[in-house]
């Protein structure tokens, strides 16, 4: 079942914990700026192939292993990066029961 992700200014709305396995992230940019989604951790580093303009959507296929991941918006750099403005959190992936 897909994971719904909503991107707005300086916020990523999605579950903060998921079970391990192959996941499809359905990502929508509901904000007024360009955004993207990157998942990094456990040897994995994956982002959408292109940034999403306001109103655009995309899908990201990821095979998650148990552990913690950093989920963030990789747009911008330094103090103006979306990551530093709050578009980042830690995702916890648990073993399949």
């Amino acid at each position: 079942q897909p994971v719904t992700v909503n991107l707005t200014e300086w916020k990523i709305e999605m579950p903060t914990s998921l079970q391990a396995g192959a996941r499809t992230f359905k990502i929508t940019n509901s904000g007024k700026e360009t955004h993207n989604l990157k998942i990094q951790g456990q040897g994995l580093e994956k982002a959408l192939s292109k940034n999403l303009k306001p109103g655009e959507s995309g899908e990201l296929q990821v095979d998650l292993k148990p552990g913690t991941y950093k989920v963030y918006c990789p747009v911008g750099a330094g103090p103006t990066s979306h990551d530093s403005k709050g578009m980042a959190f830690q995702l916890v992936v648990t073993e399949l029961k």
Side-chain angles (χ1 to χ4, degrees):
Q1 116 165 8
V3 179
T4 303
V5 182
N6 194 35
L7 305 175
T8 57
E9 271 64 65
W10 329 140
K11 202 166 164 195
I12 298 172
E13 293 172 20
M14 65 170 270
T16 54
S17 66
L18 294 169
Q19 286 195 327
R23 294 288 184 172
T24 300
F25 290 83
K26 289 192 178 289
I27 305 153
T28 302
N29 181 358
S30 300
K32 295 176 177 66
E33 309 238 351
T34 299
H35 296 300
N36 198 325
L37 188 80
K38 188 166 188 174
I39 300 173
Q40 206 171 331
Q42 308 302 315
L44 174 89
E45 194 169 329
K46 210 152 183 199
L48 286 171
S49 57
K50 69 179 185 65
N51 291 338
L52 298 177
K53 293 186 180 91
E56 287 186 333
S57 296
E59 282 192 5
L60 191 60
Q61 309 270 340
V62 185
D63 194 8
L64 295 171
K65 295 179 175 64
T68 57
Y69 295 79
K70 179 180 179 180
V71 177
Y72 65 103
C73 177
V75 174
T80 60
S81 72
H82 293 190
D83 177 356
S84 69
K85 289 181 178 181
M87 290 188 81
F89 70 93
Q90 197 171 63
L91 172 67
V92 176
V93 177
T94 57
E95 296 272 357
L96 275 173
K97 297 271 185 287

